[in-house]
PDB file of all heavy atoms in Angstrom:
ATOM      1  N   LEU H 374      93.017 130.237 108.944  1.00  0.00           N
ATOM      2  CA  LEU H 374      92.996 129.456 107.615  1.00  0.00           C
ATOM      3  C   LEU H 374      93.776 128.154 107.909  1.00  0.00           C
ATOM      4  O   LEU H 374      93.455 127.035 107.377  1.00  0.00           O
ATOM      5  CB  LEU H 374      93.722 130.302 106.571  1.00  0.00           C
ATOM      6  CG  LEU H 374      93.016 131.550 106.180  1.00  0.00           C
ATOM      7  CD1 LEU H 374      93.801 132.312 105.243  1.00  0.00           C
ATOM      8  CD2 LEU H 374      91.697 131.229 105.612  1.00  0.00           C
ATOM      9  N   VAL H 378      92.708 124.189 107.057  1.00  0.00           N
ATOM     10  CA  VAL H 378      93.592 123.248 106.367  1.00  0.00           C
ATOM     11  C   VAL H 378      93.816 122.009 107.113  1.00  0.00           C
ATOM     12  O   VAL H 378      93.853 120.829 106.706  1.00  0.00           O
ATOM     13  CB  VAL H 378      94.867 123.916 105.945  1.00  0.00           C
ATOM     14  CG1 VAL H 378      95.893 122.919 105.319  1.00  0.00           C
ATOM     15  CG2 VAL H 378      94.681 125.008 104.835  1.00  0.00           C
ATOM     16  N   ASN H 382      93.607 118.117 106.172  1.00  0.00           N
ATOM     17  CA  ASN H 382      94.811 117.317 106.108  1.00  0.00           C
ATOM     18  C   ASN H 382      94.888 116.135 107.204  1.00  0.00           C
ATOM     19  O   ASN H 382      95.340 115.059 106.941  1.00  0.00           O
ATOM     20  CB  ASN H 382      96.138 118.126 106.175  1.00  0.00           C
ATOM     21  CG  ASN H 382      96.249 118.922 104.881  1.00  0.00           C
ATOM     22  OD1 ASN H 382      95.632 118.671 103.851  1.00  0.00           O
ATOM     23  ND2 ASN H 382      97.189 119.947 104.887  1.00  0.00           N
ATOM     24  N   PHE H 389      88.212 118.864  99.178  1.00  0.00           N
ATOM     25  CA  PHE H 389      88.043 120.119  99.926  1.00  0.00           C
ATOM     26  C   PHE H 389      87.204 121.140  99.209  1.00  0.00           C
ATOM     27  O   PHE H 389      87.742 121.457  98.124  1.00  0.00           O
ATOM     28  CB  PHE H 389      89.486 120.590 100.501  1.00  0.00           C
ATOM     29  CG  PHE H 389      89.329 121.836 101.348  1.00  0.00           C
ATOM     30  CD1 PHE H 389      89.286 121.698 102.693  1.00  0.00           C
ATOM     31  CD2 PHE H 389      89.482 123.008 100.723  1.00  0.00           C
ATOM     32  CE1 PHE H 389      89.261 122.823 103.642  1.00  0.00           C
ATOM     33  CE2 PHE H 389      89.333 124.275 101.614  1.00  0.00           C
ATOM     34  CZ  PHE H 389      89.364 124.085 102.950  1.00  0.00           C
ATOM     35  N   TYR H 408      88.022 128.682  91.865  1.00  0.00           N
ATOM     36  CA  TYR H 408      89.399 128.764  91.901  1.00  0.00           C
ATOM     37  C   TYR H 408      90.067 127.514  92.262  1.00  0.00           C
ATOM     38  O   TYR H 408      89.509 126.678  93.064  1.00  0.00           O
ATOM     39  CB  TYR H 408      89.819 129.816  92.898  1.00  0.00           C
ATOM     40  CG  TYR H 408      89.587 131.256  92.443  1.00  0.00           C
ATOM     41  CD1 TYR H 408      88.344 131.920  92.801  1.00  0.00           C
ATOM     42  CD2 TYR H 408      90.517 131.965  91.845  1.00  0.00           C
ATOM     43  CE1 TYR H 408      88.146 133.142  92.318  1.00  0.00           C
ATOM     44  CE2 TYR H 408      90.331 133.178  91.361  1.00  0.00           C
ATOM     45  CZ  TYR H 408      89.076 133.793  91.662  1.00  0.00           C
ATOM     46  OH  TYR H 408      88.921 135.077  91.152  1.00  0.00           O
ATOM     47  N   PHE H 409      91.239 127.125  91.670  1.00  0.00           N
ATOM     48  CA  PHE H 409      92.069 126.122  92.210  1.00  0.00           C
ATOM     49  C   PHE H 409      93.464 126.617  92.171  1.00  0.00           C
ATOM     50  O   PHE H 409      93.820 127.684  91.647  1.00  0.00           O
ATOM     51  CB  PHE H 409      92.062 124.957  90.965  1.00  0.00           C
ATOM     52  CG  PHE H 409      92.697 125.282  89.716  1.00  0.00           C
ATOM     53  CD1 PHE H 409      93.986 124.699  89.544  1.00  0.00           C
ATOM     54  CD2 PHE H 409      92.117 126.024  88.790  1.00  0.00           C
ATOM     55  CE1 PHE H 409      94.669 125.072  88.421  1.00  0.00           C
ATOM     56  CE2 PHE H 409      92.738 126.301  87.636  1.00  0.00           C
ATOM     57  CZ  PHE H 409      94.085 125.851  87.424  1.00  0.00           C
ATOM     58  N   LYS H 410      94.347 125.980  92.961  1.00  0.00           N
ATOM     59  CA  LYS H 410      95.761 126.400  93.065  1.00  0.00           C
ATOM     60  C   LYS H 410      96.728 125.424  92.519  1.00  0.00           C
ATOM     61  O   LYS H 410      97.650 125.618  91.753  1.00  0.00           O
ATOM     62  CB  LYS H 410      96.106 126.717  94.498  1.00  0.00           C
ATOM     63  CG  LYS H 410      97.577 126.922  94.759  1.00  0.00           C
ATOM     64  CD  LYS H 410      98.077 128.099  94.164  1.00  0.00           C
ATOM     65  CE  LYS H 410      99.521 128.372  94.507  1.00  0.00           C
ATOM     66  NZ  LYS H 410     100.581 127.423  93.788  1.00  0.00           N
ATOM     67  N   ARG H 411      96.461 124.008  92.994  1.00  0.00           N
ATOM     68  CA  ARG H 411      97.442 122.997  92.506  1.00  0.00           C
ATOM     69  C   ARG H 411      96.905 122.342  91.294  1.00  0.00           C
ATOM     70  O   ARG H 411      95.718 122.178  91.190  1.00  0.00           O
ATOM     71  CB  ARG H 411      97.691 122.139  93.704  1.00  0.00           C
ATOM     72  CG  ARG H 411      98.462 122.658  94.853  1.00  0.00           C
ATOM     73  CD  ARG H 411      98.334 121.931  96.158  1.00  0.00           C
ATOM     74  NE  ARG H 411      96.927 122.053  96.659  1.00  0.00           N
ATOM     75  CZ  ARG H 411      96.194 120.908  96.786  1.00  0.00           C
ATOM     76  NH1 ARG H 411      96.521 119.770  96.447  1.00  0.00           N
ATOM     77  NH2 ARG H 411      95.008 121.169  97.285  1.00  0.00           N
ATOM     78  N   GLU H 413      96.692 119.314  90.596  1.00  0.00           N
ATOM     79  CA  GLU H 413      95.790 118.093  90.879  1.00  0.00           C
ATOM     80  C   GLU H 413      94.365 118.610  91.157  1.00  0.00           C
ATOM     81  O   GLU H 413      93.392 117.768  91.174  1.00  0.00           O
ATOM     82  CB  GLU H 413      96.302 117.326  91.938  1.00  0.00           C
ATOM     83  CG  GLU H 413      96.355 118.064  93.186  1.00  0.00           C
ATOM     84  CD  GLU H 413      96.537 116.999  94.564  1.00  0.00           C
ATOM     85  OE1 GLU H 413      96.041 116.028  94.503  1.00  0.00           O
ATOM     86  OE2 GLU H 413      97.325 117.436  95.328  1.00  0.00           O
ATOM     87  N   SER H 414      94.079 119.764  91.334  1.00  0.00           N
ATOM     88  CA  SER H 414      92.812 120.238  91.675  1.00  0.00           C
ATOM     89  C   SER H 414      91.969 120.877  90.449  1.00  0.00           C
ATOM     90  O   SER H 414      90.805 121.094  90.544  1.00  0.00           O
ATOM     91  CB  SER H 414      92.820 121.558  92.734  1.00  0.00           C
ATOM     92  OG  SER H 414      93.518 121.016  93.825  1.00  0.00           O
ATOM     93  N   TYR H 438      92.837 130.291  88.354  1.00  0.00           N
ATOM     94  CA  TYR H 438      93.963 129.979  89.100  1.00  0.00           C
ATOM     95  C   TYR H 438      94.032 130.995  90.243  1.00  0.00           C
ATOM     96  O   TYR H 438      94.065 132.243  89.993  1.00  0.00           O
ATOM     97  CB  TYR H 438      95.253 130.030  88.316  1.00  0.00           C
ATOM     98  CG  TYR H 438      96.493 129.836  89.101  1.00  0.00           C
ATOM     99  CD1 TYR H 438      97.131 128.526  89.331  1.00  0.00           C
ATOM    100  CD2 TYR H 438      97.240 130.919  89.672  1.00  0.00           C
ATOM    101  CE1 TYR H 438      98.229 128.331  90.067  1.00  0.00           C
ATOM    102  CE2 TYR H 438      98.349 130.673  90.367  1.00  0.00           C
ATOM    103  CZ  TYR H 438      98.814 129.405  90.555  1.00  0.00           C
ATOM    104  OH  TYR H 438      99.963 129.157  91.313  1.00  0.00           O
ATOM    105  N   GLY H 439      94.067 130.552  91.475  1.00  0.00           N
ATOM    106  CA  GLY H 439      94.134 131.512  92.595  1.00  0.00           C
ATOM    107  C   GLY H 439      94.952 131.126  93.817  1.00  0.00           C
ATOM    108  O   GLY H 439      94.838 129.951  94.147  1.00  0.00           O
ATOM    109  N   ASN H 440      95.817 131.857  94.210  1.00  0.00           N
ATOM    110  CA  ASN H 440      96.876 131.490  95.267  1.00  0.00           C
ATOM    111  C   ASN H 440      96.202 131.653  96.673  1.00  0.00           C
ATOM    112  O   ASN H 440      96.665 132.482  97.486  1.00  0.00           O
ATOM    113  CB  ASN H 440      98.200 132.172  95.110  1.00  0.00           C
ATOM    114  CG  ASN H 440      99.209 131.651  96.011  1.00  0.00           C
ATOM    115  OD1 ASN H 440      99.021 130.574  96.600  1.00  0.00           O
ATOM    116  ND2 ASN H 440     100.276 132.396  96.128  1.00  0.00           N
ATOM    117  N   PHE H 441      95.104 130.972  96.993  1.00  0.00           N
ATOM    118  CA  PHE H 441      94.539 131.054  98.304  1.00  0.00           C
ATOM    119  C   PHE H 441      95.025 129.988  99.299  1.00  0.00           C
ATOM    120  O   PHE H 441      95.301 128.835  98.849  1.00  0.00           O
ATOM    121  CB  PHE H 441      93.016 130.965  98.149  1.00  0.00           C
ATOM    122  CG  PHE H 441      92.322 131.955  97.334  1.00  0.00           C
ATOM    123  CD1 PHE H 441      91.845 131.731  96.123  1.00  0.00           C
ATOM    124  CD2 PHE H 441      92.290 133.201  97.690  1.00  0.00           C
ATOM    125  CE1 PHE H 441      91.294 132.620  95.363  1.00  0.00           C
ATOM    126  CE2 PHE H 441      91.636 134.325  96.902  1.00  0.00           C
ATOM    127  CZ  PHE H 441      91.148 134.006  95.759  1.00  0.00           C
ATOM    128  N   HIS H 442      95.276 130.394 100.447  1.00  0.00           N
ATOM    129  CA  HIS H 442      95.938 129.545 101.520  1.00  0.00           C
ATOM    130  C   HIS H 442      95.217 128.132 101.585  1.00  0.00           C
ATOM    131  O   HIS H 442      95.855 127.144 101.626  1.00  0.00           O
ATOM    132  CB  HIS H 442      95.807 130.174 102.842  1.00  0.00           C
ATOM    133  CG  HIS H 442      96.501 129.519 103.967  1.00  0.00           C
ATOM    134  ND1 HIS H 442      97.853 129.743 104.268  1.00  0.00           N
ATOM    135  CD2 HIS H 442      96.152 128.421 104.741  1.00  0.00           C
ATOM    136  CE1 HIS H 442      98.160 128.952 105.296  1.00  0.00           C
ATOM    137  NE2 HIS H 442      97.187 128.116 105.546  1.00  0.00           N
ATOM    138  N   VAL H 443      93.824 128.184 101.683  1.00  0.00           N
ATOM    139  CA  VAL H 443      93.172 126.874 101.920  1.00  0.00           C
ATOM    140  C   VAL H 443      93.196 125.918 100.779  1.00  0.00           C
ATOM    141  O   VAL H 443      93.116 124.704 101.056  1.00  0.00           O
ATOM    142  CB  VAL H 443      91.750 127.108 102.410  1.00  0.00           C
ATOM    143  CG1 VAL H 443      91.621 127.826 103.784  1.00  0.00           C
ATOM    144  CG2 VAL H 443      90.919 127.810 101.450  1.00  0.00           C
ATOM    145  N   ILE H 444      93.298 126.471  99.535  1.00  0.00           N
ATOM    146  CA  ILE H 444      93.373 125.513  98.445  1.00  0.00           C
ATOM    147  C   ILE H 444      94.845 125.282  98.108  1.00  0.00           C
ATOM    148  O   ILE H 444      95.096 124.313  97.355  1.00  0.00           O
ATOM    149  CB  ILE H 444      92.621 125.921  97.201  1.00  0.00           C
ATOM    150  CG1 ILE H 444      93.052 127.418  96.838  1.00  0.00           C
ATOM    151  CG2 ILE H 444      91.012 125.890  97.539  1.00  0.00           C
ATOM    152  CD1 ILE H 444      92.359 127.710  95.494  1.00  0.00           C
ATOM    153  N   ARG H 445      95.790 125.972  98.717  1.00  0.00           N
ATOM    154  CA  ARG H 445      97.254 125.867  98.390  1.00  0.00           C
ATOM    155  C   ARG H 445      97.787 124.842  99.342  1.00  0.00           C
ATOM    156  O   ARG H 445      98.539 123.776  99.018  1.00  0.00           O
ATOM    157  CB  ARG H 445      98.020 127.149  98.474  1.00  0.00           C
ATOM    158  CG  ARG H 445      99.485 126.996  98.195  1.00  0.00           C
ATOM    159  CD  ARG H 445     100.184 128.387  98.468  1.00  0.00           C
ATOM    160  NE  ARG H 445     100.311 128.715  99.813  1.00  0.00           N
ATOM    161  CZ  ARG H 445      99.878 129.902 100.333  1.00  0.00           C
ATOM    162  NH1 ARG H 445      99.402 130.803  99.525  1.00  0.00           N
ATOM    163  NH2 ARG H 445      99.967 130.195 101.535  1.00  0.00           N
ATOM    164  N   GLU H 446      97.363 124.956 100.695  1.00  0.00           N
ATOM    165  CA  GLU H 446      98.089 124.088 101.776  1.00  0.00           C
ATOM    166  C   GLU H 446      97.325 122.748 101.904  1.00  0.00           C
ATOM    167  O   GLU H 446      97.960 121.942 102.525  1.00  0.00           O
ATOM    168  CB  GLU H 446      98.149 124.987 103.030  1.00  0.00           C
ATOM    169  CG  GLU H 446      98.912 126.253 102.855  1.00  0.00           C
ATOM    170  CD  GLU H 446     100.277 126.043 102.583  1.00  0.00           C
ATOM    171  OE1 GLU H 446     100.887 124.993 102.809  1.00  0.00           O
ATOM    172  OE2 GLU H 446     100.923 126.959 101.877  1.00  0.00           O
ATOM    173  N   THR H 447      96.187 122.648 101.472  1.00  0.00           N
ATOM    174  CA  THR H 447      95.600 121.311 101.625  1.00  0.00           C
ATOM    175  C   THR H 447      96.204 120.276 100.708  1.00  0.00           C
ATOM    176  O   THR H 447      96.896 120.709  99.683  1.00  0.00           O
ATOM    177  CB  THR H 447      94.035 121.470 101.260  1.00  0.00           C
ATOM    178  OG1 THR H 447      93.855 122.333 100.155  1.00  0.00           O
ATOM    179  CG2 THR H 447      93.136 122.003 102.394  1.00  0.00           C
ATOM    180  N   LYS H 448      96.078 119.025 100.991  1.00  0.00           N
ATOM    181  CA  LYS H 448      96.847 118.097 100.254  1.00  0.00           C
ATOM    182  C   LYS H 448      95.941 117.185  99.309  1.00  0.00           C
ATOM    183  O   LYS H 448      96.408 116.204  98.732  1.00  0.00           O
ATOM    184  CB  LYS H 448      97.522 117.152 101.322  1.00  0.00           C
ATOM    185  CG  LYS H 448      98.570 117.809 102.072  1.00  0.00           C
ATOM    186  CD  LYS H 448      99.524 116.856 102.839  1.00  0.00           C
ATOM    187  CE  LYS H 448     100.818 117.603 103.332  1.00  0.00           C
ATOM    188  NZ  LYS H 448     100.537 118.267 104.580  1.00  0.00           N
ATOM    189  N   MET H 449      94.629 117.496  99.208  1.00  0.00           N
ATOM    190  CA  MET H 449      93.764 116.782  98.396  1.00  0.00           C
ATOM    191  C   MET H 449      93.131 117.760  97.338  1.00  0.00           C
ATOM    192  O   MET H 449      93.417 118.939  97.466  1.00  0.00           O
ATOM    193  CB  MET H 449      92.707 116.035  99.123  1.00  0.00           C
ATOM    194  CG  MET H 449      91.614 117.068  99.864  1.00  0.00           C
ATOM    195  SD  MET H 449      92.376 118.148 101.253  1.00  0.00           S
ATOM    196  CE  MET H 449      93.041 116.954 102.264  1.00  0.00           C
ATOM    197  N   PRO H 450      92.570 117.245  96.252  1.00  0.00           N
ATOM    198  CA  PRO H 450      91.985 118.235  95.321  1.00  0.00           C
ATOM    199  C   PRO H 450      91.048 119.162  96.065  1.00  0.00           C
ATOM    200  O   PRO H 450      90.278 118.763  96.878  1.00  0.00           O
ATOM    201  CB  PRO H 450      91.215 117.338  94.325  1.00  0.00           C
ATOM    202  CG  PRO H 450      91.872 116.032  94.394  1.00  0.00           C
ATOM    203  CD  PRO H 450      92.506 115.832  95.825  1.00  0.00           C
ATOM    204  N   ALA H 451      91.309 120.508  95.884  1.00  0.00           N
ATOM    205  CA  ALA H 451      90.666 121.512  96.624  1.00  0.00           C
ATOM    206  C   ALA H 451      90.232 122.737  95.737  1.00  0.00           C
ATOM    207  O   ALA H 451      90.890 123.155  94.861  1.00  0.00           O
ATOM    208  CB  ALA H 451      91.533 122.073  97.755  1.00  0.00           C
ATOM    209  N   VAL H 452      89.019 123.120  96.014  1.00  0.00           N
ATOM    210  CA  VAL H 452      88.450 124.392  95.179  1.00  0.00           C
ATOM    211  C   VAL H 452      87.957 125.432  96.158  1.00  0.00           C
ATOM    212  O   VAL H 452      87.482 125.151  97.310  1.00  0.00           O
ATOM    213  CB  VAL H 452      87.488 123.969  94.208  1.00  0.00           C
ATOM    214  CG1 VAL H 452      88.040 123.067  93.078  1.00  0.00           C
ATOM    215  CG2 VAL H 452      86.195 123.286  94.816  1.00  0.00           C
ATOM    216  N   LEU H 453      87.913 126.725  95.677  1.00  0.00           N
ATOM    217  CA  LEU H 453      87.399 127.676  96.374  1.00  0.00           C
ATOM    218  C   LEU H 453      86.267 128.354  95.361  1.00  0.00           C
ATOM    219  O   LEU H 453      86.618 128.800  94.336  1.00  0.00           O
ATOM    220  CB  LEU H 453      88.435 128.776  96.788  1.00  0.00           C
ATOM    221  CG  LEU H 453      87.991 129.822  97.706  1.00  0.00           C
ATOM    222  CD1 LEU H 453      89.123 130.301  98.650  1.00  0.00           C
ATOM    223  CD2 LEU H 453      87.467 131.157  96.960  1.00  0.00           C
TER     224      LEU H 453
END
Side-chain angles (χ1 to χ4, degrees):
L374 296 177
V378 169
N382 286 350
F389 180 90
Y408 287 89
F409 72 99
K410 168 67 176 76
R411 292 164 288 117
E413 62 165 322
S414 303
Y438 174 89
N440 188 13
F441 297 112
H442 184 98
V443 292
I444 54 174
R445 184 181 69 233
E446 301 300 326
T447 37
K448 295 198 167 81
M449 66 293 307
V452 295
L453 188 147

